[in-house]
Short mmCIF file of all heavy atoms in Angstrom, two decimals:
data_model
loop_
_atom_site.label_atom_id
_atom_site.label_comp_id
_atom_site.label_asym_id
_atom_site.label_seq_id
_atom_site.Cartn_x
_atom_site.Cartn_y
_atom_site.Cartn_z
N HIS A 519 12.48 4.75 18.06
CA HIS A 519 13.33 4.21 19.18
C HIS A 519 14.72 4.74 19.14
O HIS A 519 15.33 4.88 18.12
CB HIS A 519 13.33 2.62 19.05
CG HIS A 519 14.28 1.99 19.93
ND1 HIS A 519 14.40 2.03 21.23
CD2 HIS A 519 15.48 1.16 19.60
CE1 HIS A 519 15.33 1.30 21.72
NE2 HIS A 519 16.09 0.79 20.75
N ALA A 520 15.21 5.27 20.36
CA ALA A 520 16.64 5.75 20.51
C ALA A 520 16.94 6.73 19.42
O ALA A 520 18.05 6.64 18.70
CB ALA A 520 17.57 4.48 20.37
N ARG A 521 16.16 7.80 19.33
CA ARG A 521 16.25 8.89 18.31
C ARG A 521 17.19 10.01 18.87
O ARG A 521 16.93 10.45 20.00
CB ARG A 521 15.05 9.37 17.86
CG ARG A 521 14.20 8.44 16.99
CD ARG A 521 14.86 7.76 15.97
NE ARG A 521 14.11 6.67 15.41
CZ ARG A 521 13.22 6.72 14.46
NH1 ARG A 521 12.89 7.98 14.05
NH2 ARG A 521 12.58 5.76 14.04
N SER A 522 18.11 10.43 18.13
CA SER A 522 18.92 11.53 18.57
C SER A 522 18.33 12.83 18.11
O SER A 522 18.23 13.06 16.85
CB SER A 522 20.33 11.27 17.91
OG SER A 522 21.16 12.42 18.17
N MET A 523 17.80 13.63 18.95
CA MET A 523 17.13 14.78 18.67
C MET A 523 17.62 16.12 19.23
O MET A 523 18.00 16.14 20.32
CB MET A 523 15.64 14.68 19.10
CG MET A 523 14.85 13.40 18.71
SD MET A 523 14.47 13.24 16.84
CE MET A 523 13.24 14.36 16.61
N ALA A 524 17.58 17.23 18.53
CA ALA A 524 17.90 18.51 19.01
C ALA A 524 16.73 18.85 19.98
O ALA A 524 15.73 18.20 20.07
CB ALA A 524 18.03 19.55 17.94
N PRO A 525 17.00 19.86 20.84
CA PRO A 525 15.94 20.18 21.86
C PRO A 525 14.67 20.43 21.34
O PRO A 525 14.35 20.88 20.27
CB PRO A 525 16.57 21.55 22.41
CG PRO A 525 17.85 21.56 22.29
CD PRO A 525 18.18 20.83 20.88
N LEU A 526 13.63 19.85 22.24
CA LEU A 526 12.24 19.94 21.73
C LEU A 526 11.49 20.42 23.06
O LEU A 526 11.86 20.13 24.16
CB LEU A 526 11.74 18.58 21.32
CG LEU A 526 12.21 18.11 20.04
CD1 LEU A 526 12.16 16.67 19.90
CD2 LEU A 526 11.28 18.71 18.95
N GLU A 527 10.35 21.21 22.74
CA GLU A 527 9.55 21.65 23.86
C GLU A 527 8.11 21.26 23.68
O GLU A 527 7.75 20.85 22.57
CB GLU A 527 9.75 23.14 23.94
CG GLU A 527 11.20 23.54 24.34
CD GLU A 527 11.41 25.01 24.55
OE1 GLU A 527 10.35 25.76 24.65
OE2 GLU A 527 12.55 25.38 24.76
N GLN A 528 7.40 21.45 24.70
CA GLN A 528 6.00 21.07 24.72
C GLN A 528 5.37 21.88 23.49
O GLN A 528 5.63 23.13 23.47
CB GLN A 528 5.23 21.30 26.00
CG GLN A 528 5.40 20.21 27.02
CD GLN A 528 4.57 20.68 28.24
OE1 GLN A 528 4.98 21.54 28.97
NE2 GLN A 528 3.50 20.00 28.43
N GLY A 529 4.47 21.25 22.72
CA GLY A 529 3.86 22.00 21.69
C GLY A 529 4.63 22.00 20.35
O GLY A 529 4.03 22.41 19.27
N ASP A 530 5.86 21.70 20.41
CA ASP A 530 6.64 21.62 19.15
C ASP A 530 5.99 20.46 18.12
O ASP A 530 5.49 19.50 18.66
CB ASP A 530 8.02 21.14 19.42
CG ASP A 530 8.83 22.25 19.78
OD1 ASP A 530 8.31 23.48 20.11
OD2 ASP A 530 10.06 22.21 20.00
N LEU A 531 6.12 20.78 16.87
CA LEU A 531 5.55 19.95 15.82
C LEU A 531 6.62 19.03 15.29
O LEU A 531 7.74 19.39 15.02
CB LEU A 531 5.04 20.79 14.66
CG LEU A 531 3.68 21.30 14.62
CD1 LEU A 531 3.49 22.01 13.31
CD2 LEU A 531 2.64 20.08 14.64
N LEU A 532 6.28 17.75 15.14
CA LEU A 532 7.15 16.81 14.44
C LEU A 532 6.46 16.27 13.29
O LEU A 532 5.30 16.17 13.14
CB LEU A 532 7.44 15.65 15.35
CG LEU A 532 8.13 15.86 16.76
CD1 LEU A 532 8.19 14.63 17.64
CD2 LEU A 532 9.53 16.42 16.50
N ALA A 533 7.26 15.79 12.27
CA ALA A 533 6.80 15.11 11.16
C ALA A 533 7.36 13.75 11.12
O ALA A 533 8.57 13.53 11.14
CB ALA A 533 7.23 15.85 9.90
N VAL A 534 6.43 12.71 11.07
CA VAL A 534 6.87 11.36 10.95
C VAL A 534 6.83 11.05 9.44
O VAL A 534 5.86 11.22 8.78
CB VAL A 534 5.97 10.33 11.66
CG1 VAL A 534 6.44 8.94 11.55
CG2 VAL A 534 5.80 10.83 13.12
N LYS A 535 8.10 10.71 8.90
CA LYS A 535 8.18 10.74 7.44
C LYS A 535 7.87 9.37 6.81
O LYS A 535 7.59 8.44 7.50
CB LYS A 535 9.56 11.14 7.05
CG LYS A 535 9.82 12.65 7.45
CD LYS A 535 11.29 13.05 7.26
CE LYS A 535 11.43 13.54 5.78
NZ LYS A 535 12.75 14.05 5.65
N SER A 536 7.73 9.44 5.51
CA SER A 536 7.35 8.17 4.70
C SER A 536 6.13 7.54 5.27
O SER A 536 6.03 6.23 5.36
CB SER A 536 8.53 7.10 4.73
OG SER A 536 9.74 7.86 4.53
N ALA A 537 5.12 8.24 5.74
CA ALA A 537 3.92 7.67 6.31
C ALA A 537 2.73 7.66 5.37
O ALA A 537 1.60 7.43 5.79
CB ALA A 537 3.57 8.52 7.53
N GLY A 538 2.95 7.88 4.02
CA GLY A 538 1.85 7.85 3.10
C GLY A 538 1.28 6.48 2.80
O GLY A 538 0.21 6.28 2.28
N ALA A 539 2.12 5.45 3.08
CA ALA A 539 1.66 4.09 2.76
C ALA A 539 1.49 3.34 4.03
O ALA A 539 2.26 3.28 4.97
CB ALA A 539 2.72 3.30 1.94
N TYR A 540 0.30 2.52 4.14
CA TYR A 540 0.03 1.76 5.24
C TYR A 540 -0.02 2.55 6.55
O TYR A 540 0.43 2.05 7.54
CB TYR A 540 0.97 0.57 5.26
CG TYR A 540 0.88 -0.24 4.08
CD1 TYR A 540 2.01 -0.23 3.15
CD2 TYR A 540 -0.23 -1.01 3.64
CE1 TYR A 540 2.00 -0.88 1.92
CE2 TYR A 540 -0.26 -1.64 2.49
CZ TYR A 540 0.90 -1.63 1.66
OH TYR A 540 0.89 -2.33 0.44
N GLY A 541 -0.38 3.89 6.49
CA GLY A 541 -0.46 4.78 7.59
C GLY A 541 -1.86 4.77 7.96
O GLY A 541 -2.44 4.01 8.83
N MET A 542 -2.66 5.75 7.36
CA MET A 542 -4.03 5.98 7.69
C MET A 542 -4.89 4.68 7.34
O MET A 542 -5.82 4.36 7.94
CB MET A 542 -4.50 7.17 6.82
CG MET A 542 -6.00 7.47 7.12
SD MET A 542 -6.24 7.99 9.00
CE MET A 542 -7.93 8.52 8.90
N SER A 543 -4.38 3.96 6.35
CA SER A 543 -5.18 2.74 5.93
C SER A 543 -5.11 1.70 6.95
O SER A 543 -5.98 0.79 7.01
CB SER A 543 -4.79 2.21 4.51
OG SER A 543 -3.43 1.77 4.59
N MET A 544 -4.15 1.75 7.88
CA MET A 544 -4.11 0.72 8.88
C MET A 544 -4.48 1.33 10.32
O MET A 544 -4.26 0.64 11.34
CB MET A 544 -2.72 0.15 9.02
CG MET A 544 -2.47 -0.83 7.78
SD MET A 544 -0.69 -1.51 7.89
CE MET A 544 -0.82 -2.79 9.04
N ALA A 545 -4.90 2.62 10.30
CA ALA A 545 -5.22 3.23 11.58
C ALA A 545 -6.41 2.63 12.17
O ALA A 545 -7.41 2.20 11.44
CB ALA A 545 -5.43 4.79 11.29
N SER A 546 -6.57 2.68 13.47
CA SER A 546 -7.76 2.18 14.29
C SER A 546 -8.05 3.16 15.31
O SER A 546 -7.43 4.25 15.45
CB SER A 546 -7.34 0.87 14.85
OG SER A 546 -6.53 1.13 15.97
N THR A 547 -9.14 2.81 15.97
CA THR A 547 -9.69 3.68 17.03
C THR A 547 -9.35 3.10 18.39
O THR A 547 -10.00 3.44 19.43
CB THR A 547 -11.17 3.95 16.92
OG1 THR A 547 -11.78 2.72 16.96
CG2 THR A 547 -11.49 4.62 15.62
N TYR A 548 -8.27 2.25 18.49
CA TYR A 548 -7.91 1.66 19.69
C TYR A 548 -7.69 2.72 20.68
O TYR A 548 -7.19 3.81 20.50
CB TYR A 548 -6.65 0.89 19.46
CG TYR A 548 -6.20 0.04 20.77
CD1 TYR A 548 -7.05 -0.56 21.48
CD2 TYR A 548 -4.79 0.11 21.04
CE1 TYR A 548 -6.60 -1.32 22.59
CE2 TYR A 548 -4.40 -0.69 22.08
CZ TYR A 548 -5.29 -1.30 22.95
OH TYR A 548 -4.82 -2.02 24.07
#
Side-chain angles (χ1 to χ4, degrees):
H519 168 61
R521 297 302 170 87
S522 170
M523 308 289 289
L526 285 157
E527 292 185 10
Q528 278 185 284
D530 280 4
L531 268 181
L532 298 175
V534 183
K535 297 177 86 177
S536 313
Y540 306 108
M542 185 62 174
S543 63
M544 291 176 78
S546 77
T547 58
Y548 183 44

